[in-house]
Amino acid sequence: MTGQVTLNLYREAVSLRFQNGKITRIVSRGLIGETACMIPPFAAVQLFFGHRSLQELEGIYPDVWVKGGEREIIELLFPKVNAFLHTNY
């Protein structure tokens, strides 16, 4: 894959740039409007540390959503694992 994926965390957006399947650059984009991937910060932590899958978060939080081809990349980058993060929600 060569391209860019932007994770919008509402207060901050982060773009991951890929070149031939490798992340070559991570860029902070600041506060921007709607993107193909919208995840609030408290849900993003659960995704990043493998506590919950993207599908589980979408079922719990109505403001978590991912459009198009971004879904496959995010599920690949952040799979659900046996995490040591245990939240109270």
Side-chain angles (χ1 to χ4, degrees):
M1 174 195 169
T2 298
Q4 178 173 295
V5 174
T6 300
L7 304 170
N8 190 332
L9 307 174
Y10 290 90
R11 295 181 190 129
E12 182 82 21
V14 178
S15 291
L16 307 173
R17 295 186 183 167
F18 293 86
Q19 184 71 33
N20 297 322
K22 294 181 182 180
I23 296 176
T24 58
R25 192 163 184 210
I26 300 173
V27 179
S28 172
R29 307 237 352 248
L31 185 63
I32 62 173
E34 187 176 300
T35 60
C37 176
M38 304 286 290
I39 302 175
F42 55 85
V45 169
Q46 296 174 52
L47 178 68
F48 298 159
F49 287 103
H51 179 65
R52 290 200 167 105
S53 68
L54 182 58
Q55 184 177 5
E56 288 174 325
L57 291 172
E58 288 175 320
I60 297 168
Y61 304 107
D63 52 346
V64 171
W65 52 273
V66 179
K67 294 182 187 176
E70 309 271 331
R71 171 174 297 283
E72 292 176 0
I73 295 165
I74 291 174
E75 288 175 343
L76 181 67
L77 288 174
F78 308 110
K80 184 176 178 179
V81 296
N82 292 329
F84 294 104
L85 174 71
H86 297 284
T87 62
N88 59 352
Y89 35 75

Coordinates of all heavy atoms in Angstrom, one line a residue:
M1 N 0.8 -1.2 0.0 CA 0.0 0.0 0.0 C 0.9 1.2 0.0 O 1.9 1.3 0.7 CB -0.9 0.0 1.2 CG -1.7 1.3 1.3 SD -2.4 1.6 2.9 CE -2.9 3.2 2.7
T2 N 0.5 2.2 -0.8 CA 1.1 3.5 -0.8 C 0.0 4.5 -0.7 O -1.0 4.5 -1.5 CB 1.9 3.7 -2.1 OG1 3.0 2.8 -2.1 CG2 2.5 5.1 -2.1
G3 N 0.0 5.3 0.3 CA -1.0 6.3 0.5 C -1.0 6.8 1.9 O 0.0 6.8 2.6
Q4 N -2.1 7.4 2.4 CA -2.2 8.0 3.7 C -3.5 7.6 4.3 O -4.6 7.5 3.7 CB -2.2 9.5 3.4 CG -2.3 10.4 4.7 CD -2.1 11.8 4.4 OE1 -1.0 12.2 4.0 NE2 -3.1 12.6 4.6
V5 N -3.5 7.4 5.6 CA -4.6 7.2 6.5 C -4.6 8.2 7.6 O -3.6 8.4 8.2 CB -4.6 5.7 7.1 CG1 -5.7 5.5 8.1 CG2 -4.5 4.7 6.0
T6 N -5.8 8.9 7.7 CA -5.9 9.9 8.8 C -6.8 9.4 9.9 O -8.0 9.1 9.6 CB -6.4 11.2 8.2 OG1 -5.4 11.6 7.2 CG2 -6.5 12.3 9.2
L7 N -6.3 9.4 11.1 CA -7.1 9.1 12.3 C -7.5 10.4 12.9 O -6.7 11.1 13.4 CB -6.3 8.2 13.3 CG -5.7 7.0 12.7 CD1 -4.8 6.4 13.7 CD2 -6.8 6.0 12.4
N8 N -8.8 10.7 12.9 CA -9.3 11.9 13.5 C -9.7 11.6 15.0 O -10.7 10.8 15.2 CB -10.5 12.5 12.7 CG -10.9 13.9 13.2 OD1 -10.7 14.2 14.3 ND2 -11.4 14.6 12.2
L9 N -9.0 12.1 15.9 CA -9.3 11.9 17.3 C -10.1 13.1 17.9 O -10.0 13.4 19.1 CB -8.0 11.7 18.1 CG -7.1 10.6 17.5 CD1 -5.8 10.5 18.3 CD2 -7.9 9.2 17.6
Y10 N -10.8 13.8 17.1 CA -11.6 15.0 17.4 C -10.8 16.2 17.9 O -11.0 17.3 17.3 CB -12.7 14.6 18.5 CG -13.7 13.7 18.0 CD1 -13.6 12.4 18.0 CD2 -14.9 14.2 17.3 CE1 -14.5 11.5 17.5 CE2 -15.8 13.4 16.8 CZ -15.7 12.0 16.9 OH -16.6 11.2 16.4
R11 N -9.9 16.1 18.8 CA -9.1 17.2 19.2 C -7.8 17.3 18.4 O -7.1 18.4 18.4 CB -8.7 17.1 20.7 CG -9.9 17.2 21.6 CD -9.5 17.1 23.0 NE -10.7 16.9 23.8 CZ -10.8 16.0 24.7 NH1 -9.9 15.1 25.0 NH2 -11.9 15.9 25.4
E12 N -7.4 16.2 17.8 CA -6.2 16.1 17.0 C -6.4 15.1 16.0 O -7.0 14.0 16.2 CB -5.0 15.7 18.0 CG -3.7 15.6 17.4 CD -3.0 17.0 17.2 OE1 -3.3 17.9 18.0 OE2 -2.1 17.1 16.4
A13 N -5.8 15.3 14.8 CA -5.8 14.3 13.7 C -4.4 13.9 13.4 O -3.5 14.7 13.5 CB -6.5 14.9 12.5
V14 N -4.2 12.6 13.2 CA -2.9 12.1 12.9 C -2.9 11.4 11.5 O -3.8 10.5 11.3 CB -2.4 11.2 14.0 CG1 -1.1 10.6 13.7 CG2 -2.4 11.9 15.3
S15 N -2.0 11.7 10.7 CA -1.9 11.0 9.4 C -0.8 10.1 9.4 O 0.3 10.4 9.7 CB -1.8 12.0 8.2 OG -2.9 12.8 8.1
L16 N -1.1 8.8 8.9 CA 0.0 7.8 8.8 C 0.2 7.7 7.3 O -0.7 7.4 6.5 CB -0.5 6.5 9.3 CG -1.0 6.5 10.8 CD1 -1.6 5.1 11.1 CD2 0.1 6.8 11.7
R17 N 1.5 8.0 6.9 CA 1.8 7.9 5.4 C 2.5 6.5 5.2 O 3.5 6.2 5.9 CB 2.7 9.0 5.0 CG 1.9 10.3 5.1 CD 2.6 11.5 4.6 NE 1.8 12.7 4.8 CZ 2.3 13.9 4.7 NH1 3.6 14.1 4.3 NH2 1.5 14.9 4.9
F18 N 2.1 5.8 4.2 CA 2.6 4.5 3.8 C 3.3 4.6 2.5 O 2.8 5.3 1.5 CB 1.5 3.5 3.7 CG 0.8 3.2 5.0 CD1 -0.2 3.9 5.4 CD2 1.2 2.1 5.7 CE1 -0.9 3.6 6.6 CE2 0.6 1.8 6.9 CZ -0.4 2.6 7.4
Q19 N 4.4 3.9 2.4 CA 5.2 3.8 1.1 C 5.5 2.3 1.0 O 6.2 1.7 1.8 CB 6.4 4.6 1.1 CG 7.2 4.6 -0.2 CD 6.5 5.4 -1.3 OE1 5.8 6.4 -1.0 NE2 6.6 4.9 -2.5
N20 N 4.9 1.6 0.0 CA 5.2 0.2 -0.3 C 4.9 -0.6 1.0 O 5.6 -1.5 1.3 CB 6.6 0.0 -0.8 CG 6.8 0.6 -2.1 OD1 5.9 0.7 -3.0 ND2 8.0 1.2 -2.3
G21 N 3.8 -0.3 1.7 CA 3.4 -1.1 2.8 C 4.1 -0.8 4.1 O 3.8 -1.4 5.2
K22 N 4.9 0.2 4.2 CA 5.6 0.6 5.4 C 5.2 2.0 5.8 O 5.1 2.9 4.9 CB 7.1 0.5 5.2 CG 7.7 -0.9 5.0 CD 9.1 -0.9 4.8 CE 9.6 -2.3 4.5 NZ 11.1 -2.3 4.4
I23 N 5.1 2.2 7.1 CA 4.8 3.6 7.6 C 6.1 4.4 7.5 O 7.1 4.0 8.0 CB 4.3 3.6 9.0 CG1 3.0 2.9 9.1 CG2 4.2 5.0 9.5 CD1 2.4 2.7 10.5
T24 N 6.0 5.4 6.7 CA 7.2 6.3 6.4 C 7.2 7.6 7.2 O 8.2 8.2 7.5 CB 7.4 6.6 5.0 OG1 6.2 7.2 4.5 CG2 7.7 5.3 4.2
R25 N 6.0 8.0 7.6 CA 5.9 9.3 8.3 C 4.6 9.3 9.1 O 3.6 8.9 8.6 CB 6.0 10.4 7.3 CG 6.1 11.7 7.9 CD 6.6 12.7 6.9 NE 6.8 14.0 7.6 CZ 6.7 15.2 7.1 NH1 6.4 15.3 5.8 NH2 6.9 16.3 7.8
I26 N 4.6 9.9 10.2 CA 3.4 10.2 11.0 C 3.4 11.7 11.2 O 4.4 12.3 11.7 CB 3.5 9.4 12.4 CG1 3.6 7.9 12.1 CG2 2.3 9.8 13.2 CD1 3.8 7.1 13.4
V27 N 2.3 12.3 10.8 CA 2.2 13.7 10.8 C 1.0 14.2 11.7 O -0.1 13.7 11.4 CB 2.0 14.3 9.4 CG1 1.9 15.8 9.4 CG2 3.2 13.8 8.5
S28 N 1.2 15.1 12.6 CA 0.1 15.7 13.3 C -0.6 16.7 12.4 O 0.1 17.6 11.9 CB 0.6 16.3 14.6 OG -0.4 17.1 15.2
R29 N -1.9 16.6 12.3 CA -2.6 17.6 11.4 C -3.4 18.6 12.2 O -4.0 19.4 11.6 CB -3.5 16.8 10.5 CG -2.9 15.7 9.8 CD -2.9 15.7 8.3 NE -3.7 16.6 7.6 CZ -4.8 16.3 6.9 NH1 -5.2 15.0 6.8 NH2 -5.5 17.2 6.2
G30 N -3.3 18.5 13.5 CA -4.1 19.5 14.3 C -5.5 19.2 14.3 O -6.0 18.1 14.0
L31 N -6.3 20.2 14.6 CA -7.8 20.2 14.6 C -8.3 20.3 13.2 O -8.1 21.4 12.5 CB -8.3 21.2 15.5 CG -9.8 21.2 15.7 CD1 -10.2 19.9 16.4 CD2 -10.2 22.4 16.6
I32 N -8.9 19.3 12.6 CA -9.4 19.3 11.3 C -10.9 18.8 11.3 O -11.4 18.3 12.3 CB -8.6 18.5 10.2 CG1 -8.6 17.0 10.6 CG2 -7.2 19.0 10.1 CD1 -8.0 16.1 9.6
G33 N -11.6 19.0 10.2 CA -13.0 18.5 10.1 C -13.1 17.0 9.9 O -12.2 16.3 10.2
E34 N -14.2 16.6 9.4 CA -14.5 15.2 9.3 C -13.6 14.5 8.3 O -13.2 15.0 7.3 CB -16.0 15.1 8.8 CG -16.5 13.7 8.8 CD -17.9 13.6 8.4 OE1 -18.7 14.2 9.0 OE2 -18.2 13.0 7.3
T35 N -13.2 13.3 8.7 CA -12.3 12.4 7.9 C -13.0 11.1 7.8 O -14.0 10.8 8.3 CB -10.9 12.3 8.5 OG1 -11.0 11.7 9.8 CG2 -10.2 13.6 8.6
A36 N -12.3 10.1 7.1 CA -12.9 8.8 6.9 C -12.8 7.9 8.2 O -13.5 6.9 8.2 CB -12.1 8.1 5.8
C37 N -12.1 8.4 9.2 CA -11.9 7.6 10.4 C -12.1 8.6 11.6 O -11.3 9.5 11.8 CB -10.6 6.9 10.5 SG -10.3 6.1 12.0
M38 N -13.2 8.4 12.3 CA -13.5 9.3 13.5 C -13.5 8.4 14.7 O -14.4 7.5 14.8 CB -14.8 10.0 13.3 CG -14.9 10.8 12.0 SD -14.0 12.4 12.0 CE -14.9 13.3 13.2
I39 N -12.6 8.7 15.7 CA -12.6 7.9 16.9 C -12.3 8.9 18.1 O -11.3 9.6 18.1 CB -11.5 6.9 16.9 CG1 -11.6 5.9 15.7 CG2 -11.4 6.1 18.2 CD1 -10.5 4.9 15.6
P40 N -13.2 9.0 19.1 CA -12.9 9.8 20.2 C -11.7 9.3 21.0 O -11.4 8.1 21.0 CB -14.2 9.8 21.1 CG -15.0 8.7 20.6 CD -14.5 8.3 19.2
P41 N -10.9 10.2 21.7 CA -9.7 9.8 22.3 C -9.9 8.6 23.3 O -9.0 7.7 23.3 CB -9.3 11.1 23.1 CG -9.9 12.2 22.3 CD -11.2 11.6 21.8
F42 N -10.9 8.6 24.1 CA -11.1 7.6 25.1 C -11.3 6.2 24.5 O -10.9 5.2 25.0 CB -12.2 7.9 26.1 CG -13.5 8.2 25.5 CD1 -14.4 7.2 25.1 CD2 -13.9 9.5 25.2 CE1 -15.6 7.5 24.5 CE2 -15.1 9.8 24.6 CZ -15.9 8.8 24.3
A43 N -11.9 6.2 23.3 CA -12.1 4.9 22.6 C -10.8 4.6 21.8 O -10.5 3.4 21.7 CB -13.3 5.1 21.6
A44 N -10.1 5.6 21.3 CA -8.9 5.3 20.6 C -7.9 4.5 21.4 O -7.2 3.6 21.0 CB -8.3 6.6 20.1
V45 N -7.8 4.9 22.7 CA -6.8 4.2 23.6 C -7.2 2.7 23.7 O -6.3 1.9 23.7 CB -6.9 4.9 25.0 CG1 -6.1 4.1 26.0 CG2 -6.3 6.3 25.0
Q46 N -8.4 2.4 23.8 CA -8.8 1.0 23.9 C -8.5 0.3 22.6 O -8.1 -0.9 22.6 CB -10.3 0.9 24.1 CG -10.7 1.5 25.4 CD -12.2 1.5 25.6 OE1 -12.9 0.5 25.4 NE2 -12.8 2.7 26.0
L47 N -8.6 1.0 21.4 CA -8.2 0.4 20.1 C -6.7 0.2 20.0 O -6.2 -0.9 19.7 CB -8.7 1.2 19.0 CG -8.4 0.8 17.6 CD1 -9.1 -0.5 17.2 CD2 -8.7 1.9 16.6
F48 N -6.0 1.2 20.3 CA -4.5 1.2 20.2 C -3.8 0.2 21.0 O -2.9 -0.4 20.6 CB -3.9 2.6 20.5 CG -4.4 3.7 19.6 CD1 -4.3 5.0 20.0 CD2 -4.9 3.5 18.3 CE1 -4.7 6.1 19.2 CE2 -5.3 4.5 17.5 CZ -5.2 5.8 17.9
F49 N -4.3 -0.1 22.2 CA -3.7 -1.0 23.1 C -4.3 -2.4 23.0 O -4.0 -3.3 23.8 CB -3.8 -0.5 24.6 CG -2.8 0.6 24.9 CD1 -3.3 1.9 24.9 CD2 -1.5 0.3 25.0 CE1 -2.4 2.9 25.2 CE2 -0.6 1.4 25.3 CZ -1.1 2.7 25.3
G50 N -5.3 -2.6 22.1 CA -5.8 -3.9 21.8 C -6.9 -4.4 22.8 O -7.2 -5.6 22.8
H51 N -7.4 -3.5 23.6 CA -8.4 -3.9 24.6 C -9.7 -4.3 23.9 O -10.4 -5.2 24.3 CB -8.6 -2.8 25.6 CG -9.7 -3.1 26.6 ND1 -9.5 -4.1 27.5 CD2 -10.9 -2.5 26.8 CE1 -10.6 -4.1 28.3 NE2 -11.4 -3.2 27.9
R52 N -10.1 -3.5 22.9 CA -11.3 -3.7 22.1 C -11.0 -3.6 20.6 O -10.2 -2.8 20.2 CB -12.4 -2.8 22.5 CG -12.9 -3.0 23.9 CD -14.3 -2.4 24.0 NE -14.9 -2.8 25.2 CZ -15.1 -2.1 26.4 NH1 -14.6 -0.9 26.4 NH2 -15.6 -2.6 27.4
S53 N -11.8 -4.4 19.8 CA -11.6 -4.3 18.4 C -12.4 -3.1 17.8 O -13.3 -2.5 18.6 CB -12.2 -5.5 17.7 OG -13.6 -5.6 17.9
L54 N -12.2 -2.7 16.6 CA -12.9 -1.6 16.0 C -14.4 -1.9 16.0 O -15.2 -1.0 16.3 CB -12.4 -1.3 14.6 CG -13.0 -0.2 13.8 CD1 -12.8 1.1 14.6 CD2 -12.3 -0.1 12.5
Q55 N -14.7 -3.1 15.6 CA -16.1 -3.5 15.6 C -16.8 -3.4 17.0 O -17.9 -2.9 17.1 CB -16.3 -4.9 15.1 CG -17.7 -5.4 14.9 CD -17.8 -6.8 14.3 OE1 -16.8 -7.5 14.1 NE2 -19.0 -7.2 14.0
E56 N -16.1 -3.8 18.0 CA -16.7 -3.7 19.4 C -16.9 -2.2 19.7 O -17.9 -1.8 20.3 CB -15.7 -4.3 20.4 CG -15.7 -5.8 20.3 CD -14.6 -6.4 21.2 OE1 -13.6 -5.8 21.4 OE2 -14.9 -7.5 21.8
L57 N -15.9 -1.4 19.4 CA -16.0 0.1 19.7 C -17.2 0.7 19.0 O -17.9 1.5 19.5 CB -14.7 0.8 19.4 CG -13.5 0.5 20.3 CD1 -12.3 1.1 19.8 CD2 -13.8 0.9 21.7
E58 N -17.4 0.3 17.7 CA -18.6 0.8 17.0 C -19.9 0.4 17.6 O -20.8 1.2 17.6 CB -18.5 0.4 15.5 CG -17.4 1.0 14.7 CD -17.2 0.5 13.3 OE1 -17.4 -0.8 13.2 OE2 -17.0 1.3 12.4
G59 N -19.9 -0.7 18.2 CA -21.1 -1.2 18.9 C -21.4 -0.5 20.2 O -22.5 -0.3 20.6
I60 N -20.3 0.0 20.8 CA -20.5 0.7 22.1 C -20.6 2.2 22.0 O -21.5 2.8 22.7 CB -19.2 0.4 23.0 CG1 -19.1 -1.1 23.3 CG2 -19.3 1.2 24.3 CD1 -17.8 -1.5 23.9
Y61 N -19.8 2.8 21.1 CA -19.8 4.2 21.0 C -20.4 4.6 19.6 O -19.8 4.3 18.6 CB -18.4 4.8 21.1 CG -17.7 4.4 22.4 CD1 -16.7 3.5 22.4 CD2 -18.1 5.0 23.6 CE1 -16.1 3.1 23.6 CE2 -17.5 4.6 24.8 CZ -16.4 3.7 24.8 OH -15.8 3.3 25.9
P62 N -21.5 5.4 19.6 CA -22.1 5.7 18.3 C -21.2 6.7 17.5 O -21.4 6.9 16.3 CB -23.4 6.4 18.7 CG -23.3 6.8 20.1 CD -22.3 5.9 20.7
D63 N -20.3 7.4 18.1 CA -19.4 8.4 17.4 C -18.1 7.8 16.9 O -17.2 8.5 16.4 CB -19.2 9.6 18.2 CG -18.6 9.3 19.6 OD1 -18.7 8.1 20.0 OD2 -18.2 10.2 20.3
V64 N -18.0 6.4 17.0 CA -16.8 5.8 16.3 C -17.3 5.2 15.0 O -18.2 4.5 14.9 CB -16.3 4.6 17.2 CG1 -15.3 3.8 16.5 CG2 -15.8 5.1 18.5
W65 N -16.6 5.7 13.9 CA -17.0 5.1 12.6 C -15.8 5.3 11.7 O -15.0 6.2 11.8 CB -18.2 5.8 12.0 CG -18.3 7.2 12.0 CD1 -18.7 8.1 13.0 CD2 -17.9 8.1 10.9 NE1 -18.6 9.4 12.6 CE2 -18.1 9.4 11.3 CE3 -17.3 7.9 9.7 CZ2 -17.8 10.5 10.5 CZ3 -17.1 8.9 8.8 CH2 -17.3 10.2 9.3
V66 N -15.8 4.3 10.7 CA -14.7 4.3 9.7 C -15.3 4.0 8.4 O -16.1 3.1 8.3 CB -13.6 3.2 10.1 CG1 -12.5 3.2 9.1 CG2 -13.0 3.5 11.5
K67 N -15.0 4.7 7.4 CA -15.5 4.5 6.0 C -14.5 3.9 5.1 O -13.3 4.0 5.3 CB -15.9 5.9 5.4 CG -17.0 6.6 6.1 CD -17.2 7.9 5.3 CE -18.2 8.8 5.9 NZ -18.3 10.1 5.2
G68 N -15.0 3.1 4.1 CA -14.2 2.6 3.0 C -13.0 1.8 3.4 O -13.1 1.0 4.4
G69 N -11.9 1.9 2.6 CA -10.8 1.1 2.8 C -10.0 1.3 4.0 O -9.1 0.6 4.4
E70 N -10.3 2.4 4.8 CA -9.6 2.7 6.0 C -9.8 1.6 7.0 O -8.9 1.3 7.8 CB -10.1 4.0 6.6 CG -10.1 5.2 5.6 CD -8.8 5.9 5.6 OE1 -8.1 6.0 6.6 OE2 -8.5 6.5 4.5
R71 N -11.0 1.0 7.0 CA -11.3 -0.1 8.0 C -10.3 -1.2 8.0 O -9.8 -1.6 9.1 CB -12.7 -0.6 7.7 CG -13.1 -1.8 8.5 CD -14.5 -2.3 8.3 NE -15.4 -1.3 8.7 CZ -15.7 -1.0 10.0 NH1 -15.2 -1.7 11.0 NH2 -16.6 -0.1 10.3
E72 N -10.0 -1.7 6.9 CA -9.0 -2.9 6.8 C -7.7 -2.5 7.3 O -7.0 -3.3 8.0 CB -8.9 -3.4 5.3 CG -10.2 -4.0 4.8 CD -10.1 -4.4 3.4 OE1 -9.0 -4.2 2.8 OE2 -11.0 -5.0 2.8
I73 N -7.2 -1.3 7.0 CA -5.9 -0.9 7.5 C -5.9 -0.7 9.0 O -5.0 -1.2 9.7 CB -5.5 0.4 6.8 CG1 -5.3 0.2 5.3 CG2 -4.2 1.0 7.4 CD1 -5.3 1.4 4.4
I74 N -6.9 -0.1 9.5 CA -7.0 0.1 11.0 C -7.1 -1.2 11.7 O -6.5 -1.4 12.8 CB -8.1 1.1 11.3 CG1 -7.7 2.5 10.8 CG2 -8.4 1.1 12.8 CD1 -8.7 3.5 10.9
E75 N -7.9 -2.1 11.2 CA -8.0 -3.4 11.8 C -6.7 -4.2 11.8 O -6.4 -4.9 12.7 CB -9.1 -4.2 11.2 CG -10.5 -3.7 11.6 CD -11.6 -4.4 10.8 OE1 -11.4 -5.1 9.8 OE2 -12.8 -4.3 11.3
L76 N -5.9 -4.0 10.7 CA -4.6 -4.6 10.6 C -3.6 -4.0 11.6 O -2.8 -4.7 12.2 CB -4.1 -4.5 9.2 CG -2.8 -5.2 8.9 CD1 -2.9 -6.7 9.0 CD2 -2.3 -4.8 7.5
L77 N -3.6 -2.7 11.7 CA -2.7 -2.0 12.5 C -3.0 -2.2 14.0 O -2.0 -2.2 14.8 CB -2.7 -0.5 12.2 CG -2.0 -0.1 10.9 CD1 -2.3 1.4 10.7 CD2 -0.6 -0.4 10.9
F78 N -4.2 -2.3 14.4 CA -4.6 -2.3 15.8 C -5.6 -3.5 16.0 O -6.7 -3.4 16.3 CB -5.3 -1.0 16.2 CG -4.6 0.2 15.9 CD1 -5.0 1.0 14.8 CD2 -3.4 0.5 16.5 CE1 -4.3 2.2 14.5 CE2 -2.7 1.6 16.2 CZ -3.1 2.5 15.2
P79 N -5.0 -4.8 16.0 CA -5.9 -5.9 16.3 C -6.2 -6.1 17.8 O -5.5 -5.5 18.6 CB -5.0 -7.1 15.8 CG -3.6 -6.6 16.1 CD -3.6 -5.1 15.8
K80 N -7.3 -6.8 18.1 CA -7.6 -7.0 19.5 C -6.6 -8.1 20.0 O -6.4 -9.1 19.3 CB -9.0 -7.5 19.6 CG -9.4 -7.7 21.0 CD -10.9 -8.1 21.2 CE -11.2 -8.4 22.6 NZ -12.5 -8.7 22.8
V81 N -6.0 -7.9 21.1 CA -5.1 -8.8 21.7 C -5.4 -8.9 23.2 O -6.3 -8.2 23.8 CB -3.6 -8.3 21.6 CG1 -3.2 -8.2 20.1 CG2 -3.4 -6.9 22.2
N82 N -4.7 -9.8 23.9 CA -4.9 -10.0 25.3 C -4.1 -8.8 26.0 O -2.9 -8.9 26.2 CB -4.3 -11.3 25.8 CG -5.2 -12.4 25.4 OD1 -6.4 -12.3 25.2 ND2 -4.6 -13.6 25.2
A83 N -4.9 -7.7 26.2 CA -4.3 -6.5 26.7 C -4.3 -6.4 28.2 O -5.1 -7.1 28.9 CB -5.0 -5.3 26.1
F84 N -3.4 -5.6 28.7 CA -3.3 -5.4 30.2 C -4.1 -4.1 30.6 O -4.0 -3.7 31.7 CB -1.9 -5.3 30.6 CG -1.2 -6.6 30.5 CD1 -0.3 -6.8 29.4 CD2 -1.4 -7.7 31.4 CE1 0.4 -8.0 29.3 CE2 -0.7 -8.9 31.2 CZ 0.2 -9.0 30.2
L85 N -4.8 -3.6 29.6 CA -5.6 -2.4 29.9 C -7.0 -2.8 30.2 O -7.7 -3.4 29.4 CB -5.6 -1.5 28.6 CG -6.5 -0.3 28.7 CD1 -5.9 0.8 29.6 CD2 -6.6 0.3 27.3
H86 N -7.5 -2.5 31.4 CA -8.8 -2.9 31.8 C -9.6 -1.6 32.2 O -9.3 -1.1 33.2 CB -8.8 -3.9 32.9 CG -8.2 -5.2 32.5 ND1 -8.9 -6.1 31.7 CD2 -7.0 -5.7 32.7 CE1 -8.1 -7.2 31.5 NE2 -6.9 -6.9 32.1
T87 N -10.5 -1.2 31.4 CA -11.2 0.1 31.7 C -12.5 -0.3 32.4 O -12.9 -1.4 32.4 CB -11.5 0.8 30.4 OG1 -12.4 0.0 29.6 CG2 -10.3 1.2 29.6
N88 N -13.1 0.7 33.0 CA -14.3 0.5 33.8 C -15.6 0.7 32.9 O -16.6 0.8 33.4 CB -14.3 1.4 35.0 CG -14.3 2.8 34.6 OD1 -14.1 3.2 33.5 ND2 -14.4 3.7 35.6
Y89 N -15.4 0.7 31.6 CA -16.6 0.8 30.7 C -16.4 -0.1 29.5 O -15.5 -0.6 29.2 CB -16.8 2.3 30.2 CG -15.6 3.1 30.0 CD1 -14.8 2.9 28.9 CD2 -15.2 4.1 30.9 CE1 -13.7 3.7 28.7 CE2 -14.1 4.8 30.7 CZ -13.3 4.7 29.6 OH -12.2 5.5 29.4

